[in-house]
């Protein structure tokens, strides 16, 4: 789960439950997920006994502020999530790390693709981790104006869909939100980003904000992976085109199309009202 709205939804949801809890026991199944540490025991020792004081987000990383100037950084895998469990719940097949709390409950790190990462650092050391400072705009927290947004699009001058998916421009949109934003703005993803009219820049700018705010409000997508295979994508009512090939466009009723984009991903769009 590396899409920004999903991570923000998860953060908000977990925050209520984990803040002020003290970590009792930690189990790590695979050393790979904690590879910034020398070994598993070192990670377990660094985390055990700490109390969680806050849960924040830096781009697509989750940062648990711990007492004694420590922080737990979590980068979820491409299919990963964090799930709350009872303390006695056995580890699921894809659970790579589990932490129990002194006053009950547990948090499991589920990582089916085994490409996530966890590590403990000092809170003061967080500032030195450049990967935690996203190169691109964080559209949920950064204030960005439409003139600066359009200036950057003009500078890049590349097909819109690729620009939206570029993490050095905006963090965490992926195929799903790129397609939804383009649909909301009524723009074709093949258009060159420098060639939009000022009205179109504004439509795209508004599309970014509206689609992401709605996604967070509605709790993100339930299924972070493989929903393109579903005939009809049922979760996430804010999804208008992604994974909906052949269904009627909610705006003009023409069938939604699917085409392979230049990078090999599937692009979903309405060929009639996205121009
Ligand atoms: Zn349409």
């Amino acid at each position: 789960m590396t899409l920004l709205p999903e991570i923000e939804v998860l953060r908000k949801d977990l925050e209520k439950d984990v803040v002020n809890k003290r970590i009792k026991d930690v189990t790590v199944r695979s050393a790979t997920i904690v590879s910034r540490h020398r070994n598993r025991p070192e990670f377990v020792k660094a985390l055990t006994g700490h109390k969680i004081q806050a849960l924040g987000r830096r781009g697509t990383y989750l940062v648990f502020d711990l007492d004694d100037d420590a922080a737990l950084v979590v980068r979820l895998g491409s299919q990963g999530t964090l799930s709350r469990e009872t303390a006695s719940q056995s580890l699921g097949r894809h659970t790579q790390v589990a932490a129990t709390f002194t006053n009950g409950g547990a948090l499991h790190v589920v990582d089916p693709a085994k490409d996530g990462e966890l590590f403990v650092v000092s809170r003061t050391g967080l500032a030195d981790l450049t990967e935690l400072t996203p190169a691109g705009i964080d559209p949920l927290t950064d204030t960005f104006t439409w003139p600066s947004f359009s200036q950057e699009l003009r500078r890049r001058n590349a097909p819109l869909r690729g620009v939206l998916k570029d993490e050095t421009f905006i963090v965490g949109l992926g195929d799903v939100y790129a397609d939804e934003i383009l649909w909301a703005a009524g723009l074709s993803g093949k258009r060159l980003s420098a060639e939009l009219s000022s009205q179109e820049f504004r439509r795209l700018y508004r599309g970014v904000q509206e689609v992401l705010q709605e996604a967070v409000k509605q709790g993100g997508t339930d299924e972070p992976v493989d929903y393109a295979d579903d005939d009809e994508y049922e979760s996430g009512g804010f999804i208008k085109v992604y994974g909906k090939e052949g269904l009627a466009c909610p705006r003009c009723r023409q069938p939604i199309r699917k085409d392979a984009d230049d990078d090999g991903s599937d692009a979903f769009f309405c060929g009639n009202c996205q121009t």
Side-chain angles (χ1 to χ4, degrees), residues 183 249-254 270-274:
W183 181 85
C249 166
R251 192 161 46 212
C252 73
R253 311 312 294 170
Q254 292 297 304
C270 173
N272 184 48
C273 65
Q274 288 179 249

Side-chain angles (χ1 to χ4, degrees), residues 57-60 130-138 142 167-168 171:
R57 180 180 64 77
R58 307 254 188 123
T60 52
T130 51
E131 63 270 46
L132 295 193
T133 309
I137 301 165
D138 183 325
D142 293 348
E167 300 264 332
T168 67
V171 177

